[in-house]
Amino acid sequence: MVLDLARRMAASAEGLTLEDMMRETDSARRTAERLRDAVLVLFPQTEEVSDPPYKRWRIRGGLSAFEQAPTAEELVELSKAAQGLRATGEPSRANSLEGLERKLKSAVRSTTLNRLAPDLEALVRAETLAVQAGPRASADEVVLAEVRRAVLAGQPLGFIYSRPGAEARRRVMTPCGLMFGRANYLVAAEPDGGAIKTFRLDRMSAVKAEPGVATPPADFDLQVFAGQSFGIYQDAIEDVVLKITPEGAPEARGWRWHPTQDVEDQPDGSVVVRFRASGMRELAWHLFTWGEQVEIIQPARLKAVMAGELQAAQRALERSQA
């Protein structure tokens, strides 16, 4: 734990406060103080930085290659993350992780690499990723580069957006961030502090950072925004209540439904799941996988969306049987 804290100090440009150390190590104040003191003994190059009303500690110049040598488990997880991105159609993001993997290996002593090689090879053979059916995400390298450039420079982002059944439109938006998932989205605000909207990256073309200044709304938080939806699509936020039968209860208890979820056991062995989210269509699609094990208590809009999806599926089945 001492070495891990030292790595965190070396990885922070501004340094860590004692409160940061407590949070990073999930420990009480006195324990964090003992860990800090141990780092000061082992790494005398540690600096104390005054940042009233706090004090910060950092290790400038980084740690030695021996102290930073990755484990076989860390390297295989990095490799699997790159494989997963490539398998789902994201070569540019996969290339970034593979480049990081090469840099890490090149910074490690050959003797350490020779020691890691057998374990790494065994883990690579023993583990793989199961690619699930779903939209094939796309993150074009040029599009990503332009979006990131606009975000870092605080500039407006111009692009042509094309949706099925709608005429392509030229848009100029304030970029707020990117969301990666089953599909990849730009999150952007209308100029002059307007509504926050999402745009699929694979439907954007002629993407270019525009002259000028574009700052996201001061109260905007990308993590909070992403957490409002069951999936990606954002619409009205609803209070969702689902009841899972006793047969499905064990799986439901271990299921991550939503960041705001509350799972309540019932006397009959069933569970009631409550959370607040938007994206009722994506939720309805997910509920299909639970079959007869789930009952929608509320909202009424989710029931209506579910009924509509069932009717559409029934019509498609009838056409295939005609």
Side-chain angles (χ1 to χ4, degrees):
M1 188 175 285
V2 173
L3 184 54
D4 183 61
L5 181 58
R7 287 174 178 145
R8 293 173 188 268
M9 286 184 183
S12 174
E14 68 274 11
L16 301 181
T17 66
L18 195 58
E19 288 70 22
D20 293 333
M21 297 179 200
M22 293 167 59
R23 182 174 59 255
E24 297 277 357
T25 61
D26 192 23
S27 61
R29 186 179 186 87
R30 187 69 191 111
T31 301
E33 289 174 340
R34 287 196 294 267
L35 289 171
R36 177 205 58 196
D37 293 343
V39 170
L40 294 176
V41 171
L42 289 173
F43 302 93
Q45 70 270 37
T46 304
E47 296 181 345
E48 181 180 305
V49 181
S50 178
D51 183 19
Y54 303 104
K55 289 183 179 179
R56 296 179 179 274
W57 288 266
R58 67 186 178 192
I59 301 178
R60 298 187 66 177
L63 303 180
S64 72
F66 172 76
E67 293 154 340
Q68 290 291 73
T71 65
E73 290 80 5
E74 290 169 338
L75 287 175
V76 80
E77 289 296 343
L78 185 57
S79 177
K80 282 194 301 181
Q83 291 173 15
L85 288 172
R86 193 170 296 283
T88 54
E90 304 235 38
S92 63
R93 294 175 66 201
N95 288 338
S96 296
L97 287 186
E98 289 166 350
L100 175 59
E101 182 184 7
R102 287 191 296 272
K103 290 176 182 177
L104 284 174
K105 287 182 176 179
S106 68
V108 176
R109 294 175 181 175
S110 58
T111 53
T112 303
L113 277 180
N114 290 337
R115 176 174 54 81
L116 290 175
D119 289 345
L120 186 58
E121 183 180 354
L123 288 174
V124 168
R125 288 200 310 267
E127 300 180 14
T128 190
L129 294 169
V131 179
Q132 298 179 338
R136 188 176 178 86
S138 174
D140 181 87
E141 190 171 355
V142 174
V143 172
L144 278 178
E146 279 300 312
V147 172
R148 286 168 172 161
R149 189 163 79 87
V151 168
L152 292 174
Q155 293 178 268
L157 186 71
F159 55 91
I160 296 173
Y161 196 64
S162 305
R163 291 187 302 173
E167 185 178 352
R169 284 184 58 193
R170 177 73 181 172
R171 308 294 297 264
V172 178
M173 305 289 291
T174 298
C176 299
L178 292 161
M179 292 195 301
F180 297 105
R182 285 164 55 87
N184 299 326
Y185 286 80
L186 164 72
V187 181
E190 294 279 6
D192 302 321
I196 304 292
K197 297 185 177 181
T198 57
F199 303 89
R200 274 179 51 166
L201 296 187
D202 58 341
R203 295 176 178 172
M204 294 168 55
S205 60
V207 181
K208 186 174 179 59
E210 303 284 351
V213 177
T215 305
D219 59 349
F220 177 77
D221 186 306
L222 183 61
Q223 295 296 328
V224 172
F225 178 81
Q228 291 174 347
S229 174
F230 181 78
I232 292 288
Y233 182 72
Q234 299 273 345
D235 54 12
I237 297 176
E238 306 271 7
D239 287 308
V240 177
V241 182
L242 307 171
K243 184 174 183 180
I244 314 299
T245 64
E247 292 75 19
E251 184 174 359
R253 292 189 188 97
W255 197 266
R256 179 178 170 83
W257 295 87
H258 191 266
T260 64
Q261 73 183 42
D262 177 66
V263 180
E264 180 183 330
D265 290 324
Q266 301 299 301
D268 64 354
S270 65
V271 296
V272 171
V273 181
R274 295 182 174 86
F275 55 89
R276 283 178 55 80
S278 63
M280 294 301 102
R281 187 173 302 279
E282 288 179 271
L283 177 53
W285 292 341
H286 173 71
L287 294 181
F288 271 107
T289 66
W290 289 83
E292 297 180 336
Q293 294 181 340
V294 63
E295 175 189 353
I296 301 172
I297 306 299
Q298 68 178 62
R301 191 162 70 90
L302 176 57
K303 295 181 181 181
V305 170
M306 189 68 164
E309 296 299 306
L310 287 168
Q311 291 166 7
Q314 181 63 37
R315 289 193 297 270
L317 179 60
E318 291 172 351
R319 286 196 301 270
S320 68
Q321 294 174 337

